[in-house]
Amino acid sequence: MTSSSLLNARLLRTTALGVSIAVAAMSAPAFAQDATTDNAEDTANAIVVTAQGRSQLLSDVPVAISAVSAETLQNSGANDIRQLNQVAPSLLVSSTGSEANGSARIRGIGTVGDNPGLESSVPVFIDGVYRSRSGIGLNELGEIDRVEVQRGPQGTLGGRNSSAGLISIYSKKPDFNFGASGEITYGNYDYWRLSGSVTGPITDKVAARLDGVWVKRDGFLRDTTNNTDVNNRDRYFLRGQLLFEPTDALSIRLIADYTYRNEKCCGAIYVDNSVNPYIGNLNNPSTPLSTGATGTPPNVPQADGNNIINVLRDLGQPLSAFSQGYSRNLSVSPGRSFAGKTKDYGFSGQIDWDLGGATLTSITGYREYRSGQAGDLDYGAVDILYRAPSDNAYRQFHTFTQELRLQGEALDGKLDWLVGGFYANEKLTVRDNLRFGTQYGRFASCRLISGGALAGLYSPTSPGCVAARPAAFGAASPAIYAALDQLDSISDKGSIDDRYRQDDTNWALFTHNIFHITDKLDLTLGVRYTHDKKKFAATFTNDNQACVNVQNLVGGFLGVTALQPVSAGLIGLACQGNSTAELNGVSINDQRSEDKWTGTAILSYKPVDDLLIYASYARGYKAGGFNLDRSALKNPIQIVGGVPTWSFAQAGGAQSLVGNLQFDPETVDSYELGAKYSTGPFSAGLTFFRSDFSSFQLNTFNGSLYLVQNVNGCSADLNGADRDQSKFTGSPNYNAAAVTTGACAADNVGWGVRTQGFELETSLVPARNFRMTAGLTYARTKYRNNLVGNASGAPLDPALRLLPGNNLSNAPELVATGSVTWTPEIGSSGLTGLVYIDGRMTSDYNTGSDLFPQKEQDGYAIFNARVGVRGPDEKWGIEFWAQNLFNKQYAQVAFNSPFQEGGVSSAFSDPQYPGGRQIFSQFLAEPRTYGVTLRGKF
């Protein structure tokens, strides 16, 4: 990090801390004025939450929870869970390559990437119904009553287990009084949003509610090649409800909703040339870099240049793309598309029945979710990799859930008991048609030829990217050149219709009990038993015959030391991502089953009515599963019995390797010490926490394939074997034997990730029409110093060599949030004004799960603002708003550009950039948006 970056980070930390301390300090004089502010309201105390399966005041719940009211959601402009970042400092929600699988993180912990085989560390529940993946919460939400963000593992209640926290969203119920509301919003990027709601009685026992939202907006990114916008909005949402209350003891609520999206998502740009190093003759691309031995090749890369940049340039990638910074003009191949369609719909029913001595709650849900997403997945103008928009590319969930809870009191009110059960059946289908582009063959052959000793033969306009064909390989020359021609011939080949099916059955029994030891002292004990079973099956269709042909031509030379690099390179590039006709018509299957005990224990004490202090322990769990990506089935070349093996047949067939797709369950032991104070216009909460994660599930794209690996720690010193760069194929000192080093004895394996720190949340209401909030989270979320790949102590994958001892990705150490809401009266006519601003300040963090330094994001601050005028009783209103008010440009996630890693010569060495000559791309955050909203209700 540069000295200016360090200075900015320090200033940001100081500012963030100052904001929170300032608001807290203001509470003392404000509280002293309580006698004179007769109209001040204890707003915090009015918030009721159900985090413990019971309706309780937020200030009385001995768990770490942020509750966001409907008013705050409206003022912050929150239409989906991403905007919660502004008001919940421990939460970070981001979306990258597919909005179908956005990621939510709490205290720096979350599920990384777009692989649907991984469950969410921070799941989303809407009206008590579990949603299969947290990205589904990126849909429109309609009229919302409140949102509860529970921090830390939820190992007892909460429907399905979660290891880091959960987000519970509660929509507004039908009302027995008639009412209707609507709003029209227009903003930049030709943004239109129309929403409306109507509710009222059907009979004196039945009420109904209907909500609807329609949104359309141009994209934040521009595809100039195909003359279209990307990352646009075109969606609608409908939700209907019936509330049936036949008696005071029985309430039945039925909900049905439907969401449809037809949008282009998600474009990415190259990280600029300050990060993508060794671009060579970037400023003079028309000037030959050097001349080859024969004098014929026009653009042989210079020795210290990045050969992958030169290859991309020679095949049509404008070099300006590597220096555009945060420009939102995409590099896209002609004819490629980011089009996607999503359908999300379902039904749920909740029954609350007071039986006299106990209350029975039943929540039944059925959901169907289908999302198809095309993409130019090399994110450049050279046609390397794509997914076509078709019915052969989608992910689909069919989910049925049933939760039952029975709650009551015993021992003369000394015991508040709860028992229950949960059942879920989730059928997941993934279909894929991921294919090499029309230029992949020439790109791959040029990548190989330009990357080292063969650079003198480089000619991007010649077959096989070879200008002349001397007998450089002796007797092997004919086979090597024939293999180059086979590699060069790959055009629009790969998957035709791969299908993955997973049938997951999950059931649990739980109990959660609060013992009132005294009037001031409570002991909460909860325990849960969970059984999870997954059945997996996959079939593959593939037409990449070049992979098989190249294997046959050069496979015999893998054992020849001098030819092994060339042979391995040819096979690896021809079979990237296991795109091989060997898999055509192949079927595989597997299953796994696991049983886990989780639970919680909380001791809470109220020395005075306004103060609650507590200490707690919780054990959480997230189920294991299968990596639903064929690239992880087997690397193109692997060592079997000390012999290089390149075909599935030699490895015993694809079925014998299906175990490579499995990953273990993630568990966590968490400890908290907290205090909540609430009186008059002021409330505050302070939580100290530590959580240790074992078999942490990490999903990483290393530029060629998707790795899902469990990360654990070793109590013994591995002497740097877990971070040895010579394990990495991009290292100039690559040593294949080093890949097997860094193992740990199973008895010494323990937790691999720890998050610890504190959270402070405050609220101040010194007057009826004025409110301030502030939050501060310090979370040191780090990997252990010595890491291994699973609970048995196997070595960590070489692509993860930077993890030991470092912070996790997307886990800033310091985050501060704050908001101010002022609604002054305007004259005596009933008019009121609105002035609202919120901010989130974040310290530096790395956005890549492999922690390459090129993916570092400097700290930044985001502010939203809203001003307006409202009529009497807020029957109408006009509001002007801005999101990302100061147009801060930053990246959500940076990643290895697919297949775009250059060759490494012995002259190349740069320890500051251990990614070698890998090129990087990034998904940008949203720019500044602004507009006007008209509201009305009656």
Side-chain angles (χ1 to χ4, degrees), residues 492-615:
D492 198 21
K493 301 292 183 182
S495 171
I496 301 169
D497 184 11
D498 291 346
R499 301 191 185 200
Y500 306 84
R501 295 180 179 87
Q502 179 176 282
D503 190 336
D504 180 16
T505 299
N506 180 290
W507 60 265
L509 300 174
F510 55 85
T511 181
H512 188 273
N513 308 281
I514 304 174
F515 297 89
H516 304 294
I517 300 173
T518 70
D519 292 341
K520 298 180 179 294
L521 182 65
D522 288 349
L523 175 64
T524 301
L525 296 176
V527 66
R528 181 187 185 108
Y529 172 79
T530 301
H531 173 80
D532 187 89
K533 183 176 183 179
K534 291 183 173 71
K535 296 180 180 179
F536 165 81
T539 58
F540 306 100
T541 54
N542 198 288
D543 59 2
N544 179 23
Q545 188 61 44
C547 173
V548 177
N549 293 340
V550 168
Q551 290 172 358
N552 292 336
L553 285 164
V554 302
F557 300 114
L558 279 176
V560 181
T561 302
L563 297 179
Q564 187 169 335
V566 177
S567 301
L570 283 163
I571 294 175
L573 290 169
C575 309
Q576 285 272 24
N578 284 326
S579 178
T580 169
E582 272 194 294
L583 286 174
N584 192 43
V586 171
S587 297
I588 59 176
N589 61 82
D590 201 0
Q591 67 178 22
R592 58 175 294 117
S593 179
E594 56 201 37
D595 301 275
K596 290 292 180 182
W597 288 94
T598 55
T600 188
I602 308 170
L603 187 65
S604 59
Y605 179 61
K606 296 194 75 170
V608 295
D609 290 342
D610 300 327
L611 177 63
L612 171 72
I613 58 177
Y614 65 92

Side-chain angles (χ1 to χ4, degrees), residues 201-475:
I202 297 177
T203 70
D204 61 342
K205 302 293 185 183
V206 181
R209 184 180 188 93
L210 180 65
D211 299 309
V213 181
W214 174 82
V215 181
K216 195 173 181 65
R217 190 203 67 206
D218 294 341
F220 294 139
L221 304 172
R222 184 66 183 169
D223 172 7
T224 56
T225 303
N226 299 294
N227 194 31
T228 186
D229 292 331
V230 180
N231 286 34
N232 66 322
R233 291 286 183 270
D234 188 356
R235 59 180 63 173
Y236 65 86
F237 165 82
L238 293 170
R239 178 171 58 223
Q241 300 185 61
L242 287 175
L243 179 61
F244 180 42
E245 295 183 343
T247 69
D248 292 341
L250 179 62
S251 174
I252 302 172
R253 185 185 182 192
L254 304 176
I255 306 173
D257 66 271
Y258 183 89
T259 296
Y260 178 78
R261 294 170 20 184
N262 185 3
E263 301 169 347
K264 300 180 181 69
C265 183
C266 302
I269 67 166
Y270 287 109
V271 180
D272 66 40
N273 62 337
S274 65
V275 168
N276 284 326
Y278 299 96
I279 290 182
N281 212 10
L282 177 60
N283 295 323
N284 299 290
S286 61
T287 303
L289 296 177
S290 65
T291 302
T294 63
T296 54
N299 283 311
V300 175
Q302 58 190 23
D304 62 347
N306 190 338
N307 70 297
I308 201 68
I309 296 282
N310 296 316
V311 170
L312 291 169
R313 174 206 62 194
D314 294 342
L315 296 182
Q317 175 65 56
L319 287 177
S320 59
F322 298 105
S323 58
Q324 65 180 161
Y326 289 101
S327 169
R328 295 177 181 269
N329 291 322
L330 301 178
S331 294
V332 182
S333 303
R336 298 302 175 217
S337 170
F338 288 94
K341 293 182 179 180
T342 298
K343 295 179 181 179
D344 177 23
Y345 57 93
F347 316 89
S348 67
Q350 178 168 339
I351 300 172
D352 294 291
W353 190 7
D354 187 348
L355 302 174
T359 299
L360 176 68
T361 298
S362 170
I363 302 176
T364 306
Y366 177 76
R367 306 292 312 175
E368 291 199 12
Y369 179 88
R370 174 169 168 150
S371 179
Q373 187 70 64
D376 185 3
L377 300 182
D378 55 75
Y379 303 101
V382 182
D383 194 15
I384 300 173
L385 187 69
Y386 76 98
R387 179 176 286 115
S390 75
D391 289 335
N392 290 355
Y394 64 81
R395 58 189 65 183
Q396 180 171 283
F397 294 92
H398 295 255
T399 308
F400 172 80
T401 58
Q402 174 64 58
E403 182 170 356
L404 284 173
R405 298 195 303 264
L406 188 65
Q407 176 196 347
E409 293 184 349
L411 305 177
D412 295 326
K414 293 292 186 180
L415 172 62
D416 183 349
W417 58 266
L418 184 152
V419 295
F422 177 78
Y423 173 83
N425 179 252
E426 177 185 273
K427 291 180 170 60
L428 168 60
T429 300
V430 177
R431 294 182 66 180
D432 204 1
N433 60 5
L434 186 65
R435 295 178 69 79
F436 292 133
T438 56
Q439 293 178 277
Y440 176 78
R442 182 58 54 87
F443 165 80
S445 57
C446 286
R447 173 183 163 185
L448 180 64
I449 291 297
S450 64
L454 302 179
L457 305 177
Y458 175 78
S459 178
T461 59
S462 301
C465 203
V466 178
R469 303 195 173 196
F473 309 103

Side-chain angles (χ1 to χ4, degrees), residues 664 694-696 709-718 721-722 727 738-752 784 786-797:
D664 293 332
S694 299
S695 292
F696 179 75
Q709 182 162 46
N710 293 108
V711 178
N712 286 282
C714 183
S715 59
D717 188 354
L718 299 177
D722 55 343
K727 292 182 177 186
V739 176
T740 60
T741 63
C744 176
D747 292 343
N748 293 330
V749 175
W751 60 269
R784 203 166 176 174
N786 295 281
L787 296 181
V788 290
N790 59 29
S792 299
L796 189 70
D797 189 281

Side-chain angles (χ1 to χ4, degrees), residues 38 87 106 196 206 218 309 389 446 611 734 752 854 874 895 915 928:
D38 295 333
V87 293
I106 290 179
V206 181
D218 294 341
I309 296 282
C446 286
L611 177 63
Y734 174 65
Q854 296 94 326
E874 298 187 15
F895 59 95
R928 174 172 53 218

